[in-house]
Amino acid sequence: MDILNPANETLLQSLPADDRSQVLAKIESLKKAQPDWALRSVDERLNILVRFGSLVKENLENLALVLTSETGKPLAQARNEIRGAHNRIEHLQANAATWLAREKVVTEGAVREEIVHEPLGVIANISAWNFPYNVGYNVFLYALLAGNAVAYKPSEYASLTGLKFGELLAKAGVPSGVFECFIGGAAVGEMLLEADLDGYFFTGSYKTGKYITQKVATKMVPVQLELGGKDALYVMDDVQDIKQAAINAAEGAFYNNGQSCCAVERIYVHENVYEAFVKAFEEEVEGYLIGDPLAEGTFIGPVTRREQLDVLQDQVQDALDKGAVLHTGGKRRAGAGYYWEPTVLTGVSHEMKVMMEESFGPIIGIQSVRNDEEAVALMKDTTYGLTAAVFSDNEARAVQVLEKLPTGTAYWNCCDRVSPNLPWTGRKNSGLGVTLSYLGIRAFTQPKAYHLKGSS
Ligand code: NAD
């Protein structure tokens, strides 16, 4: 498997992808190692994962370089991601013992009643490349802590980072066979789907997520999906500081080159503040430094996958053909590397792909609306349901809109944000199930109900 640097299209490394016999051998090791891992105390497992967190921090600079070189994520954003993901470990440190403790529901009377949260067993974590630390930690750290063994398949676009996870978890003390890294693309993912595992946890596109769900349905094991989005942001006419709203919205749209599952993918602005917003937004985007992701100060690097350039080209062309106005960007940057100029379109409508299909790149459409009702109708007009944001100086008015939207996350005066304290969950085609928060650890356990009669 050739790992290319998206910034200059040079070969970083060639990795042998796992073949069937290697996949089977790793699965065998996981099955063998899991029961002993589950027998360890939560504290013991937690200490090992905390050590892993410390090792990641000690190696931050090197890990950030690896992440930037294989995904094109600007270096400062790679460092931010690695630092930020650590909040999962802190949150687990504070809460896991309580979440995983035996629950004594009924303590008096003839029959005592208790709930024990047992691990699922060996689970597959088929992951994405855009935030490998965040989305990886959301699954494999919580799963390991709950006593599962993990078959981790990093995306083929973040394999070097995936191998680092394996290396550092082992160094931290995760016993051999409890975490196995599977190297390869769809073919290796398929081998995991065919295996007899106890749960499938997937982060990636709707298309693959749907396929995986169908493929493993008859196994009767939990399937959880964190998929894409077409997340909307609405700017109300009571916003006094339009410039700040534009800065925040632009960051939500263009951070990580627009390749966040919860990136702002479409913007609606009340007609009373539309012109001011568009002007401030365009100024902000034109100030972004685009270039080498290793250079300090770069905000827009290359997109990670070459194929995505065709998607962006198609969305821009489709929008222009249907009457959209291009304010800035709109094309691939000449020369080597998968660079797409940050693109702002106005005069857009829901007839255009750019307002309906996930862009997953540095491109945004801004549409004017007459009132909150029109904004709600447009925001709801999507097959996805990951997040929605409203910018307003009035919380109650913003919440009135957010309450009407079928999304897993609602933002007031912020966007493109994930917190370990809150459940991360998509509705409709954005996913199934929950990671993060106390609900997120439950995903990796199965309850056993004890009815205990007699005195102990
Ligand atoms: P993808 O669906 O192309 O790939 C995801 C993973 O699935 C990769 O590891 C890939 O090798 C594997 N895979 C592909 N085909 C497979 C098959 N037939 N069987 C088994 N495994 C297979 O997605 P991607 O391009 O890596 O990620 C981008 C998508 O992920 C975007 O849509 C983004 O919105 C979404 N995403 C969602 C979240 C979230 O939390 N909701 C987070 C990050 C990314």
Side-chain angles (χ1 to χ4, degrees):
M1 222 172 63
D2 287 345
I3 316 281
L4 297 183
N5 182 340
N8 52 27
E9 300 172 54
T10 59
L11 181 69
L12 283 169
Q13 209 173 315
S14 276
L15 285 179
D18 285 332
D19 62 23
R20 189 170 294 276
S21 66
Q22 287 166 309
V23 168
L24 293 178
K26 286 182 185 179
I27 291 174
E28 203 49 43
S29 308
L30 289 161
K31 292 196 172 197
K32 223 157 125 194
Q34 191 270 331
D36 283 345
W37 177 244
L39 283 178
R40 296 203 187 194
S41 70
V42 173
D43 270 355
E44 230 179 307
R45 293 196 295 262
L46 183 61
N47 286 339
I48 291 174
L49 299 180
V50 168
R51 233 170 5 247
F52 165 75
S54 306
L55 288 169
V56 169
K57 274 180 156 177
E58 281 165 28
N59 289 282
L60 187 132
E61 208 48 39
N62 174 261
L63 294 171
L65 280 172
V66 170
L67 182 55
T68 293
S69 60
E70 66 181 336
T71 64
K73 186 189 292 272
L75 189 57
Q77 296 177 24
R79 293 189 190 116
N80 281 350
E81 179 185 346
I82 299 171
R83 275 194 212 107
H86 192 76
N87 65 14
R88 275 75 166 164
I89 297 178
E90 288 165 349
H91 196 237
L92 288 172
Q93 245 181 316
N95 297 297
T98 315
W99 292 338
L100 292 171
R102 171 183 285 257
E103 290 179 58
K104 299 188 175 186
V105 186
V106 176
T107 55
E108 288 171 9
V111 183
R112 284 176 291 119
E113 296 177 351
E114 300 182 357
I115 304 170
V116 172
H117 298 286
E118 295 185 347
L120 297 171
V122 178
I123 63 116
N125 176 192
I126 300 176
S127 204
W129 47 265
N130 60 331
F131 281 93
Y133 284 80
N134 291 344
V135 300
Y137 281 20
N138 291 359
V139 175
F140 70 70
L141 286 184
Y142 288 67
L144 288 172
L145 192 56
N148 300 280
V150 177
Y152 177 69
K153 198 197 88 56
S155 160
E156 53 273 47
Y157 296 98
S159 303
L160 301 178
T161 295
L163 288 170
K164 290 284 177 198
F165 291 155
E167 194 183 307
L168 295 179
L169 284 166
K171 207 166 166 190
V174 172
S176 164
V178 169
F179 179 93
E180 295 282 1
C181 190
F182 293 75
I183 294 300
V188 171
E190 288 276 355
M191 291 180 210
L192 291 177
L193 304 184
E194 284 157 19
D196 179 23
L197 302 183
D198 303 305
Y200 287 86
F201 295 79
F202 171 75
T203 310
S205 61
Y206 165 69
K207 185 168 163 253
T208 311
K210 185 177 167 193
Y211 171 77
I212 288 179
T213 312
Q214 287 167 341
K215 186 91 194 224
V216 302
T218 53
K219 292 181 195 281
M220 310 291 275
V221 296
V223 178
Q224 188 155 298
L225 310 168
E226 300 199 347
L227 310 177
K230 190 71 193 167
D231 296 358
L233 182 147
Y234 170 39
V235 183
M236 289 178 165
D237 57 349
D238 59 14
V239 172
Q240 290 300 311
D241 195 346
I242 282 291
K243 188 171 159 56
Q244 193 56 49
I247 290 170
N248 294 350
E251 189 181 30
F254 292 98
Y255 194 82
N256 197 31
N257 307 324
Q259 302 167 123
S260 308
C261 53
C262 53
V264 175
E265 286 250 343
R266 50 200 175 110
I267 298 178
Y268 305 97
V269 185
H270 194 287
E271 60 186 7
N272 294 347
V273 291
Y274 179 74
E275 270 180 35
F277 180 87
V278 169
K279 185 167 173 285
F281 192 93
E282 191 183 333
E283 268 170 26
E284 176 65 12
V285 174
E286 283 181 341
Y288 287 157
L289 210 56
I290 169 169
D292 180 1
L294 285 173
E296 300 292 344
T298 294
F299 187 70
I300 302 280
V303 295
T304 305
R305 295 165 307 169
R306 196 185 187 296
E307 309 86 85
Q308 202 61 19
L309 295 170
D310 297 335
V311 173
L312 300 174
Q313 178 65 55
D314 180 51
Q315 289 196 356
V316 169
Q317 197 53 53
D318 172 72
L320 294 178
D321 288 348
K322 292 172 181 163
V325 178
L326 178 67
H327 288 252
T328 185
K331 60 181 191 305
R332 185 177 176 179
R333 202 181 72 164
Y338 312 145
Y339 289 92
W340 185 267
E341 294 180 358
T343 299
V344 179
L345 293 157
T346 61
V348 290
S349 75
H350 280 212
E351 302 300 309
M352 300 173 187
K353 293 179 187 174
V354 72
M355 297 303 274
M356 300 306 286
E357 295 174 11
E358 193 178 39
S359 306
F360 226 58
I363 156 172
I364 193 82
I366 309 178
Q367 185 168 351
S368 168
V369 294
R370 285 183 302 272
N371 51 41
D372 295 356
E373 289 68 38
E374 188 184 5
V376 168
L378 289 167
M379 290 170 100
K380 282 171 84 168
D381 181 27
T382 173
T383 56
Y384 291 108
L386 195 55
T387 83
V390 174
F391 278 57
S392 168
D393 286 357
N394 181 336
E395 180 179 353
R397 183 177 163 200
V399 169
Q400 260 178 24
V401 166
L402 292 168
E403 279 172 349
K404 296 190 178 99
L405 303 173
T407 58
T409 290
Y411 301 116
W412 174 48
N413 289 344
C414 57
C415 55
D416 191 25
R417 178 179 191 275
V418 178
S419 162
N421 305 308
L422 297 175
W424 186 244
T425 173
R427 298 191 190 172
K428 297 161 72 179
N429 289 356
S430 290
L432 206 61
V434 182
T435 54
L436 300 177
S437 80
Y438 70 93
L439 298 166
I441 197 135
R442 290 279 179 271
F444 304 101
T445 64
Q446 47 192 340
K448 183 170 279 173
Y450 278 91
H451 303 243
L452 304 165
K453 196 170 172 187
S455 50
S456 52

